[in-house]
Amino acid sequence: KKDNKVLFRLKVAADASSGIECPVCSAATRTTQRVRREMRTLTTAEWSKVTSAMWIMKTTSQADGVAAHGASFRTYDYFVAKHLVAMLDLRGDQAHFGPMFMTWHTAFILEFENALLSVDPTILAVPYWDTTLT
């Protein structure tokens, strides 16, 4: 039996007339937008910064990484495990082969980017690999 109350609660707009209070975000308003660049357009020095930050993510424990780089830090292995868990979920693949592919991976890449930038904010954005280029 479906719980229609849950469906209704998810569709109710949160505004003054609904009586639903939304939390206020204390984060600073962004004034710039990240621009992701194709990895082959990076200079050797820029690519070195990316791989060095990824190496720190790979070789630093979660506790030490958070202490050194802040709350956005995640280990590289965290992302490997997160992807594997989503893929092997007993209910079915939660990250692929369905309408959730783009939204799941968008959130996944954003979390990875935030972790990478916590290590070295001068990277500015995670690079991407354009597979249509040879």
Side-chain angles (χ1 to χ4, degrees):
K1 183 178 176 183
K2 291 184 179 179
D3 181 359
N4 290 330
K5 292 177 185 176
V6 171
L7 295 174
F8 176 73
R9 282 193 301 266
L10 294 175
K11 292 182 180 181
V12 171
D15 59 28
S17 65
S18 70
I20 298 172
E21 292 183 34
C22 294
V24 177
C25 180
S26 60
T29 303
R30 287 194 58 84
T31 57
T32 60
Q33 183 174 347
R34 295 177 186 163
V35 177
R36 296 179 178 160
R37 294 172 43 203
E38 208 281 332
M39 61 182 279
R40 286 166 282 197
T41 68
L42 300 177
T43 65
T44 302
E46 289 169 331
W47 182 244
S48 180
K49 289 192 322 186
V50 171
T51 57
S52 293
M54 289 174 68
W55 184 249
I56 290 169
M57 291 168 64
K58 179 66 178 165
T59 59
T60 306
S61 72
Q62 181 66 27
D64 290 345
V66 168
H69 305 290
S72 293
F73 179 86
R74 301 285 183 274
T75 67
Y76 187 90
D77 290 344
Y78 162 88
F79 292 101
V80 173
K82 183 173 188 164
H83 196 264
L84 185 64
V85 166
M87 198 173 75
L88 298 177
D89 190 295
L90 293 176
R91 298 167 293 174
D93 190 331
Q94 300 297 303
H96 305 96
F97 310 117
M100 68 292 201
F101 180 88
M102 289 300 292
T103 53
W104 192 94
H105 284 86
T106 299
F108 182 80
I109 294 299
L110 179 60
E111 186 178 18
F112 183 87
E113 180 176 61
N114 288 337
L116 189 72
L117 297 181
S118 75
V119 175
D120 185 351
T122 66
I123 293 169
L124 302 179
V126 68
Y128 66 92
W129 178 28
D130 185 345
T131 60
T132 65
L133 301 176
T134 55

